[in-house]
């Protein structure tokens, strides 16, 4: 049956009952909760994936820096970005490569590449490159509670590194720290090593500047081209990059061995055996620039008279008429040819002081201008005149093959004419070049100039010495630390010797000349108005030098008294009998291993936290430990014996080690040394 309604009548909708309303609301609320949960889960999953992207092996990347942990989970390396925060949404990870393309300041190229070259070593290649001309890339590395080693020779040298105050980043280039005390030294590498078994090597391509903040215990690593002597490679825009490698190992010794073998060259041969065995005798501290033929003859006669052996005689500053001349002043040396012939007959070998300067009053100044042998001012038209400690002149451009050949030919002529054995190559630091200059071959890194100068020593390597070292570990000659003052302290004094030698050793330079015994003996030193250092200082200095790779006298023992002469003879003989055989054995191994000859105490006990801080003892190889007295007025010192069995020079046997021997007695004519007992 059908019911028909009139067309103008609308059916009435039935309202839900009161019982159904709460049920519908619950369903709607449940749907909203489900949607929220799905969204939250998706966001959480994406966050987990992003967090995974920003983690590579034991490195955690954040927008403002990163940390690296060791295998035990301890943070051993921590860096903060100062040039902006990474946009983490721009980061991606493929295998061991983590890449980011933006920061909060714009486009960049950032990556971290992870490699594991050994089971016990993990390495990270890090690069931050800007695409804005003349911008700055800066990162802060915190040394936290670790001890750090390496970097550069400094005027105030500590082991481990101890920096004071605040220093804005400055160019990390070679400099004469004797004349410019706040600069970096002439022997340097972009390499640092920590007691936490982390090491960093800054890439050669970086326009590298270094600063620090001792309050927050940090180093500033900076890359920039503006207001600096660094230049971008020819034809490339000035986009700075800060790139480096960080490697973490199981202990400080093993990670250092890995870094040296991986990133440093090694010497290909060892210098003359006599330079390890016998003292070198220099004219500098005794005669300064007043050296002449008569004084030189007296000097050699006294060496024979007091029965000292001699590796070679080193004739220092001002034997020529003008700086830049390659011959003897006929007034000061009226019969040089005959004098050298006689010295040769008497068994003396001779080396000559040499430098890269040609002063304006030298006859060779005109030669250099005519042949365009000099470093030039920025336009490349005129020679750049420089001021050095002996006047004003030009400096030879060792990137120029013609200048190298001219310089070498003059040295070879001297060697042939006077039977000269080799040369002492002084200076060579960038601090003696103008901030802006032009070289025959453009230098992106100005310190390469120092490297090119050092190469001049290669033909004369057996008795040569240089005082600049930068990427020069393969040059098989002695590297001399900068001049010392005749003082006791850490600023170019006696206490600075061991920290400086250890630092240079860690930078890959095994053949080290610790400069002259007693220092420069200037009248403002401990000697008052005299020309010789304080007697006690001189004795302690020669005792320490007897255990170094090379030993050099200038102020001679006979200027003091019989006791000093006898002490000098005693330690010269001890060097020949005990030290030299070990030095020569280790020097022979260097060409294969790259291991240092002079080693820190932690070398044989890398996990010993006490050993990490010791700056007044050292090892020759692994078997001879030396603990000289470095304090004025002291005839005792504390000696730390690391784990092992040790026999003292007095015959005592120490087996319950490690142990600290407090106030261990050491007479004025003694050095405390200990031999490892197998």
């Amino acid at each position: 049956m059908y019911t028909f309604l009139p067309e103008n009548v609308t059916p009435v909708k039935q309202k839900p009952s009161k019982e159904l309303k709460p049920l519908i609301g619950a369903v709607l609320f449940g749907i909203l909760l489900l949607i929220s949960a799905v969204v939250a889960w998706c966001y959480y999953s994406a966050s987990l994936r992003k967090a995974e992207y920003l983690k590579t092996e034991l490195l955690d990347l954040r927008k403002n820096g990163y940390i690296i942990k060791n295998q035990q989970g301890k943070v051993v390396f921590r860096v903060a970005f100062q040039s902006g925060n990474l946009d983490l949404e721009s980061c991606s990870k493929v295998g061991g490569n983590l890449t980011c393309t933006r920061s909060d300041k714009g486009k960049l190229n950032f990556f971290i590449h992870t490699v594991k070259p050994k089971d016990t070593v993990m390495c990270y290649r890090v690069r931050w490159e800007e695409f804005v001309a003349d911008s700055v890339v800066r990162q802060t590395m915190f040394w936290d509670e670790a001890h750090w080693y390496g970097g550069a020779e400094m005027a105030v040298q500590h082991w481990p590194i101890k920096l004071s105050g605040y220093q804005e980043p400055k160019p990390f280039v070679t400099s004469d720290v004797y004349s410019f005390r706040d600069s970096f030294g002439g022997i340097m590498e972009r390499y640092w090593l920590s007691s936490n078994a982390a090491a960093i090597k800054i890439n050669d391509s970086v326009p590298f500047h270094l600063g620090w903040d001792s309050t927050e215990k940090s180093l500033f690593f900076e890359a920039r081209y503006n207001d600096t002597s660094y230049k971008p490679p020819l034809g490339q825009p000035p986009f700075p990059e800060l790139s480096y490698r960080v490697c973490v190992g199981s202990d400080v010794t093993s990670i250092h061995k890995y870094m040296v073998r991986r990133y440093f060259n090694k010497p290909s041969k060892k210098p003359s055996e006599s330079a390890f065995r016998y003292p070198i005798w220099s004219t500098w501290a005794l005669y300064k620039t007043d050296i002449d033929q008569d004084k030189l003859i007296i000097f050699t006669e006294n060496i024979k008279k007091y029965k000292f052996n001699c590796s070679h005689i080193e004739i220092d500053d001002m034997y020529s008429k003008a700086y830049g001349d390659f011959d003897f002043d006929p007034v000061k040396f009226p019969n040089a040819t005959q004098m050298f012939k006689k010295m040769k007959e008497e068994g003396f070998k001779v080396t000559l002081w040499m430098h890269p300067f040609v002063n304006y009053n030298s006859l060779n100044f005109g030669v250099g201008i005519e042949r365009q042998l000099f470093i030039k001012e920025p336009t490349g038209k005129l020679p750049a005149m420089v001021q050095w400690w002996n006047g004003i002149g030009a400096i030879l451009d060792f990137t120029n093959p013609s200048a190298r050949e001219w310089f070498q030919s003059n040295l070879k002529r001297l060697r042939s004419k006077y039977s000269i054995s080799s040369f002492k190559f002084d200076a060579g630091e960038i601090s003696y070049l103008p901030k802006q200059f032009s070289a025959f071959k453009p230098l992106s890194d100005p310190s390469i100039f120092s490297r090119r100068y050092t190469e001049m020593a290669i033909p004369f390597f057996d008795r040569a010495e240089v005082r600049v070292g930068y990427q020069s570990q393969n040059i098989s000659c002695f590297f001399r630390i900068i001049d010392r003052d005749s003082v006791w302290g850490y600023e170019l004094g006696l206490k600075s010797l061991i920290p400086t030698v250890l630092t240079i050793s860690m930078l890959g330079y095994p053949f080290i000349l610790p400069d002259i015994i007693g220092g420069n003996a200037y009248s403002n030193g401990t000697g008052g108005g005299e020309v010789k250092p304080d007697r006690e200082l001189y004795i302690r200095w020669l005792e320490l030098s007897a255990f170094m790779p090379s030993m050099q006298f200038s102020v001679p023992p006979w200027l003091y008294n019989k006791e000093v002469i006898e002490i000098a003879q005693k330690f010269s003989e001890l060097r020949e009998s005990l030290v030299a055989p070990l030095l020569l054995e280790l020097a022979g191994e260097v060409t294969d291993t790259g291991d240092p000859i002079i080693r820190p105490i932690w070398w044989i006990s890398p996990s010993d936290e006490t050993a990490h801080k010791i700056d007044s003892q050292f090892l020759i190889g692994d078997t001879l430990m030396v603990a000289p007295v470095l304090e004025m007025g002291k005839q005792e010192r504390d000696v730390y014996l690391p784990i092992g069995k040790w026999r003292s020079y007095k015959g005592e046997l120490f087996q319950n080690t490690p142990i600290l021997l407090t106030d261990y007695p050491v007479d004025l004519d003694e050095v405390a040394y200990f031999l490892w007992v197998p």
Side-chain angles (χ1 to χ4, degrees), residues 324-327 354 364 367 371 373 396 403-416 423 460:
D325 294 351
F326 291 89
D327 211 336
M354 198 53 60
N364 284 323
V367 174
R371 299 188 185 181
L373 304 178
L396 289 164
R404 293 164 69 91
E405 182 182 351
W406 181 81
F407 187 70
Q408 286 279 327
S409 66
N410 278 290
L411 300 188
K412 290 174 181 176
R413 183 181 54 81
L414 278 169
R415 182 172 63 178
S416 174
F423 300 91
F460 315 98

Side-chain angles (χ1 to χ4, degrees), residues 296-423:
L296 183 59
I297 291 171
I298 293 172
F299 194 45
T300 58
E301 287 176 347
N302 279 325
I303 293 172
K304 291 186 298 179
K305 174 182 175 181
Y306 291 102
K307 297 181 173 55
F308 284 99
N309 286 320
C310 173
S311 169
H312 54 273
I313 302 286
E314 187 178 271
I315 303 176
D316 212 284
D317 194 348
M318 211 56 214
Y319 58 83
S320 60
K321 190 173 182 179
Y323 295 107
D325 294 351
F326 291 89
D327 211 336
F328 286 86
D329 182 346
V331 175
K332 300 179 79 172
F333 293 87
N335 195 3
T337 303
Q338 188 61 34
M339 178 190 69
F340 285 119
K341 182 180 178 182
K342 185 173 184 295
M343 288 177 66
K344 184 177 180 180
E345 291 171 353
E346 293 175 349
F348 287 105
K349 294 187 180 296
V350 178
T351 64
L352 292 182
W353 179 71
M354 198 53 60
H355 55 83
F357 306 101
V358 179
N359 278 12
Y360 66 89
N361 61 335
S362 168
L363 294 176
N364 284 323
F365 185 75
V367 174
I369 291 178
E370 181 182 349
R371 299 188 185 181
Q372 300 190 45
L373 304 178
F374 299 138
I375 288 287
K376 297 179 180 178
E377 42 80 42
T379 66
K381 295 179 180 178
L382 298 172
M385 300 302 289
V386 299
Q387 184 166 9
W388 61 298
W389 68 89
N390 277 329
I392 296 174
I395 186 166
L396 289 164
D397 182 357
F398 294 102
T399 73
N400 184 344
S402 296
R404 293 164 69 91
E405 182 182 351
W406 181 81
F407 187 70
Q408 286 279 327
S409 66
N410 278 290
L411 300 188
K412 290 174 181 176
R413 183 181 54 81
L414 278 169
R415 182 172 63 178
S416 174
K417 184 177 180 179
Y418 298 112
S419 297
I420 300 300
S421 293
S422 189
F423 300 91

Side-chain angles (χ1 to χ4, degrees), residues 58-341:
L58 299 173
L59 182 148
D60 293 339
L61 178 66
R62 288 116 187 220
K63 67 178 182 179
N64 60 350
Y66 66 87
I67 61 170
I68 299 175
K69 300 176 182 178
N70 62 14
Q71 296 287 349
Q72 290 72 44
K74 178 182 178 181
V75 175
V76 295
F77 196 80
R78 185 164 66 98
V79 164
F81 303 143
Q82 305 295 333
S83 305
N85 291 326
L86 289 176
D87 178 356
L88 299 184
E89 295 301 318
S90 75
C91 301
S92 62
K93 181 182 175 186
V94 178
N97 292 323
L98 201 162
T99 304
C100 305
T101 58
R102 293 193 311 273
S103 74
D104 58 0
K105 295 185 179 179
K107 185 180 177 183
L108 59 72
N109 174 26
F110 176 88
F111 73 76
I112 297 175
H113 176 60
T114 307
V115 292
K116 191 172 185 179
K118 298 174 63 177
D119 289 341
T120 57
V121 176
M122 183 71 73
C123 292
Y124 306 87
R125 290 175 53 212
V126 182
R127 180 186 179 98
W128 180 306
E129 182 181 13
E130 292 283 352
F131 295 114
V132 177
D134 294 327
S135 53
V136 176
V137 182
R138 181 194 280 195
Q139 296 177 10
T140 299
M141 184 202 80
F142 300 93
W143 66 68
D144 295 325
E145 300 307 315
H147 301 292
W148 285 85
Y149 317 93
E153 181 183 18
M154 305 283 278
V156 179
Q157 197 91 48
H158 292 281
W159 178 272
I161 294 171
K162 187 187 297 181
L163 300 170
S164 60
Y166 180 91
Q167 173 63 56
E168 277 293 320
K170 55 186 178 181
F172 193 72
V173 295
T174 59
S175 185
D176 174 1
V177 291
Y178 192 84
S179 299
F180 309 99
R181 298 286 171 109
D182 293 331
S183 61
F184 302 112
I187 302 176
M188 58 162 40
E189 298 295 335
R190 303 169 168 198
Y191 170 69
W192 288 266
L193 171 75
S194 91
S195 57
N196 279 339
I200 180 170
K201 174 72 169 61
I202 308 292
N203 287 352
D204 297 341
S205 57
V206 176
F208 183 54
H209 298 68
L210 179 68
W212 60 83
D213 185 342
S214 62
T215 301
E216 67 172 16
K217 297 182 179 180
S218 64
L219 295 177
F220 305 138
F221 298 153
E222 185 175 277
R224 61 179 165 89
Y225 287 115
N226 61 315
D227 190 33
T228 182
S229 52
Y230 289 102
K231 301 297 178 189
L234 204 60
Q236 295 187 20
F239 296 161
E241 58 144 303
L242 182 57
S243 58
Y244 49 86
R245 291 165 170 81
V246 179
C247 293
V248 178
S250 57
D251 63 71
V252 61
T253 303
S254 63
I255 194 62
H256 175 70
K257 288 184 176 184
Y258 170 78
M259 296 296 285
V260 167
R261 286 158 176 73
R262 178 67 180 83
Y263 297 115
F264 291 158
N265 291 316
K266 299 188 294 289
S268 57
K269 44 202 167 188
K270 63 183 178 184
S272 169
E273 287 195 8
S274 68
F276 291 97
R277 196 177 298 278
Y278 308 125
I280 300 166
W281 296 81
S282 168
T283 64
W284 170 245
L286 181 60
Y287 298 117
K288 302 296 191 295
T289 58
D290 291 332
I291 185 63
D292 59 31
Q293 183 169 317
D294 291 340
K295 291 186 177 74
L296 183 59
I297 291 171
I298 293 172
F299 194 45
T300 58
E301 287 176 347
N302 279 325
I303 293 172
K304 291 186 298 179
K305 174 182 175 181
Y306 291 102
K307 297 181 173 55
F308 284 99
N309 286 320
C310 173
S311 169
H312 54 273
I313 302 286
E314 187 178 271
I315 303 176
D316 212 284
D317 194 348
M318 211 56 214
Y319 58 83
S320 60
K321 190 173 182 179
Y323 295 107
D325 294 351
F326 291 89
D327 211 336
F328 286 86
D329 182 346
V331 175
K332 300 179 79 172
F333 293 87
N335 195 3
T337 303
Q338 188 61 34
M339 178 190 69
F340 285 119
K341 182 180 178 182

Side-chain angles (χ1 to χ4, degrees), residues 506-525:
M506 290 296 104
L507 299 181
Y509 297 94
F511 308 135
I512 302 170
L513 176 59
D515 204 44
I516 51 183
I517 291 168
N520 268 332
Y522 288 126
S523 59
N524 60 349

Side-chain angles (χ1 to χ4, degrees), residues 447-462:
S447 290
I448 294 298
F449 174 85
S450 297
R451 158 76 194 189
R452 296 291 170 258
Y453 176 56
T454 306
E455 290 169 351
M456 296 297 96
I458 292 175
F460 315 98
F461 79 95
D462 61 338

